[in-house]
Amino acid sequence: MQAAVLLSVLSAITSVSSLVLDVPAEAPQTNILSDHSASNDFIGSIYFMTNQPSGNFVVSASIGADGLLTPAHAISTGGIGGVSHAMPALALDPLFSEGPIAVHERSGLLATVNPGSNTIQLFAVDPKNPTVLSPIGGPAPAGGAFPTSVAFNNAGDMLCAINGAEVGCIQCYSIHPWRGLVPGDMRPLNLNQTNPPTGFANTTTTVRFTPDDTSVIVVVKGDRDVPGHTGFLMSWPVLSVSPATLSANAVIAPAPSIGSIPFSLSYIPGRRAFLVGDGTGVDVFNYQAGLEPGQITNKSIEIPGQIATCWSAYSQTSGNYYVADNLVSTVTEIHVDDQLAPSIARQYVPPPGNTGTNELAVATINGQDFLYLLLPNVTSIGVMRIDGPANGTFVQTLDFSQPAASVNLNITLLMAGLSIYMKDQTHLSRALGPR
Ligand SMILES: *[C@@H]1O[C@H](CO)[C@@H](O)[C@H](O)[C@H]1NC(C)=O
Ligand SMILES: *[C@@H]1O[C@H](CO)[C@@H](O)[C@H](O)[C@H]1NC(C)=O
Ligand SMILES: *[C@@H]1O[C@H](CO)[C@@H](O)[C@H](O)[C@H]1NC(C)=O
Ligand SMILES: *[C@@H]1O[C@H](CO)[C@@H](O)[C@H](O)[C@H]1NC(C)=O
Ligand SMILES: *[C@@H]1O[C@H](CO)[C@@H](O)[C@H](O)[C@H]1NC(C)=O
Ligand SMILES: *[C@@H]1O[C@H](CO)[C@@H](O)[C@H](O)[C@H]1NC(C)=O
């Protein structure tokens, strides 16, 4: 088994500097500095990856009953991070992707990409203390170059990864209890990219299973400088879970996107439709008729002043969506009506400003939603309490650079991904979409 390095990242407030280094031959023991597992003082965990070219780590923080975060652990992913280009203005968005980390809560699994070493690592989440991860098997080949996004199916027995560079492909895996990721056949993307990809135009963004697990959808950006090149959606029917097999050929449908940078994919509950962050605005794509060319319709809006609206998340409490623009550093709350038309409900500027708002995730705590935001320009995660539509309040900005430095771990604006595991999983019983 791949040797794993466990570092424990101490809380900025409570901790003493010390490094716990564990190189186990077999499954690693977890090194817990503040042992939450014996108490009920936290109810879930949040994860991001450091994405450092010198070594990639998943960092966890516990989520308290008040929604607030405390730094907890870091574990090596057995690989290295990556940067897709050298444009300083866009260095905040090194992967141009949504979902470099995926969590499947019911099966207690977490998967992460290693963009610089072309591998995917699977972990088991400790259900008693979900800030603690243990690797399942070693890093699995990603099938191509520069993996940037992963997705579990809803059943939790299959994972797909997209590789956005020259050897661009989608690679799916069935999940074996102790060997981990067992690759099936890969399918090429034919995006004519370089390795690593040169820019955000014409690159992949995200991979998601449809809510009924029958297909996999990949979002590919267009190029706003090429009129009419608004990006496209690639989809493959799932033929078998084990071995993980997609149909031989992708269905490729133009994405009717308003900003030509279709990026995120947030399903709209109960509808065959999803919301997409799209550079200068958002789109709602309706695939009620299907995913073939010409079947996908859009209702889209511009968000005034936005240029890099990319990530999105949905809140049950407000019934609205939240999209993040990482260059303008704002979050826009979007309402989607019964006709699937989006409108702006409110905008928020996470403190202290210029945060580089990136990936978002929502956790439900005793019927109350909290929005978590990756803020790479201030090496932080922000927390916003959601009290209803157009009623969000920022309650925390937690900077990870100090607690990380105290255990010799680098966290910079290359940090990426945001996923959540909650101990109480009753929220999972609410189905996302039509089965
Ligand atoms: C990539 O290049 C091939 C061969 O020139 C072409 O058929 C294909 O359409 C190109 N793909 C994209 C997404 O432009
Ligand atoms: C993106 O793809 C389009 C269509 O193939 C092409 O015309 C354009 O030059 C590409 N843009 C970049 C930045 O590679
Ligand atoms: C998307 O929808 C908007 C209106 O909702 C429309 O104006 C626009 O033309 C559509 N975009 C495309 C590429 O069809
Ligand atoms: C990121 O922070 C730097 C200062 O550290 C600032 O100059 C820059 O404008 C910020 N970027 C964004 C997108 O907010
Ligand atoms: C937001 O929610 C809080 C808590 O329920 C409430 O006190 C406040 O009045 C609400 N604000 C608005 C503008 O609705
Ligand atoms: C952290 O980054 C600095 C420079 O940015 C580098 O010199 C150092 O080796 C890095 N440390 C680790 C542990 O990656």
Side-chain angles (χ1 to χ4, degrees):
M1 174 180 273
Q2 173 77 14
V5 178
L6 267 166
L7 301 177
S8 290
V9 177
L10 302 176
S11 152
I13 305 148
T14 57
S15 64
V16 197
S17 253
S18 86
L19 174 66
V20 179
L21 194 63
D22 189 19
V23 187
E26 284 301 325
Q29 299 302 302
T30 51
N31 293 279
I32 305 168
L33 285 168
S34 49
D35 188 352
H36 295 285
S37 60
S39 66
N40 285 321
D41 63 350
F42 77 105
I43 54 165
S45 181
I46 196 162
Y47 315 91
F48 66 88
M49 66 184 215
T50 64
N51 192 37
Q52 292 289 312
S54 57
N56 191 16
F57 286 76
V58 175
V59 177
S60 65
S62 59
I63 301 174
D66 53 5
L68 303 184
L69 303 178
T70 306
H73 287 265
I75 184 166
S76 167
T77 62
I80 61 174
V83 182
S84 55
H85 53 81
M87 291 166 68
L90 291 170
L92 274 172
D93 189 6
L95 305 178
F96 300 134
S97 83
E98 178 179 74
I101 294 180
V103 167
H104 192 272
E105 292 182 274
R106 248 177 296 125
S107 54
L109 296 170
L110 180 148
T112 181
V113 298
N114 286 317
S117 41
N118 306 332
T119 57
I120 310 293
Q121 180 64 52
L122 185 69
F123 292 94
V125 179
D126 179 342
K128 291 205 179 68
N129 182 352
T131 64
V132 174
L133 304 174
S134 354
I136 306 175
F146 209 72
T148 56
S149 181
V150 278
F152 288 102
N153 65 356
N154 294 293
D157 52 11
M158 183 171 170
L159 181 88
C160 291
I162 46 172
N163 296 275
E166 199 169 0
V167 192
C169 70
I170 180 166
Q171 172 72 65
C172 298
Y173 308 82
S174 47
I175 295 169
H176 186 273
W178 61 88
R179 276 160 57 214
L181 299 171
V182 180
D185 293 338
M186 64 88 155
R187 302 284 181 245
L189 297 176
N190 297 321
L191 296 178
N192 306 326
Q193 275 297 330
T194 52
N195 191 17
T198 44
F200 62 85
N202 301 337
T203 60
T204 54
T205 305
T206 195
V207 56
R208 298 278 187 240
F209 283 80
T210 52
D212 62 7
D213 281 348
T214 58
S215 289
V216 177
I217 301 176
V218 167
V219 180
V220 184
K221 301 172 205 73
D223 185 343
R224 53 168 69 140
D225 296 329
V226 179
H229 190 49
T230 60
F232 51 93
L233 304 174
M234 303 181 80
S235 63
W236 296 259
V238 177
L239 300 185
S240 119
V241 169
S242 182
T245 311
L246 304 181
S247 67
N249 297 307
V251 175
I252 300 178
S257 75
I258 199 166
S260 298
I261 310 175
F263 201 101
S264 62
L265 197 169
S266 294
Y267 284 105
I268 294 177
R271 307 293 292 265
R272 290 187 189 278
F274 49 87
L275 180 134
V276 174
D278 180 16
T280 54
V282 295
D283 311 299
V284 176
F285 290 154
N286 181 347
Y287 68 101
Q288 183 64 43
L291 287 161
E292 300 282 338
Q295 293 182 323
I296 299 162
T297 59
N298 84 303
K299 288 188 178 166
S300 307
I301 47 163
E302 300 273 7
I303 305 174
Q306 302 274 290
I307 44 178
T309 304
C310 292
W311 302 268
S312 58
Y314 172 71
S315 158
Q316 304 260 358
T317 304
S318 67
N320 287 341
Y321 298 79
Y322 298 80
V323 294
D325 182 315
N326 72 320
L327 294 181
V328 178
S329 292
T330 54
V331 172
T332 304
E333 180 176 342
I334 301 285
H335 179 69
V336 177
D337 70 15
D338 289 346
Q339 279 69 52
L340 297 176
S343 58
I344 297 171
R346 192 172 159 184
Q347 288 191 292
Y348 306 88
V349 177
N354 295 332
T355 53
T357 45
N358 193 285
E359 201 150 321
L360 319 151
V362 170
T364 303
I365 301 172
N366 299 323
Q368 162 104 62
D369 277 2
F370 288 83
L371 178 70
Y372 296 90
L373 308 97
L374 190 76
L375 306 175
N377 210 32
V378 290
T379 54
S380 297
I381 295 179
V383 185
M384 186 173 92
R385 197 184 65 234
I386 299 173
D387 287 313
N391 190 354
T393 307
F394 285 98
V395 291
Q396 188 184 24
T397 301
L398 176 65
D399 187 348
F400 284 81
S401 59
Q402 207 39 52
S406 73
V407 293
N408 229 7
L409 195 67
N410 276 351
I411 295 185
T412 68
L413 51 68
L414 295 180
M415 66 200 287
L418 203 67
S419 281
I420 284 172
Y421 176 101
M422 300 303 280
K423 289 185 193 173
D424 172 6
Q425 299 187 355
T426 51
H427 62 288
L428 296 178
S429 57
R430 300 182 207 117
L432 253 183
R435 294 257 147 196

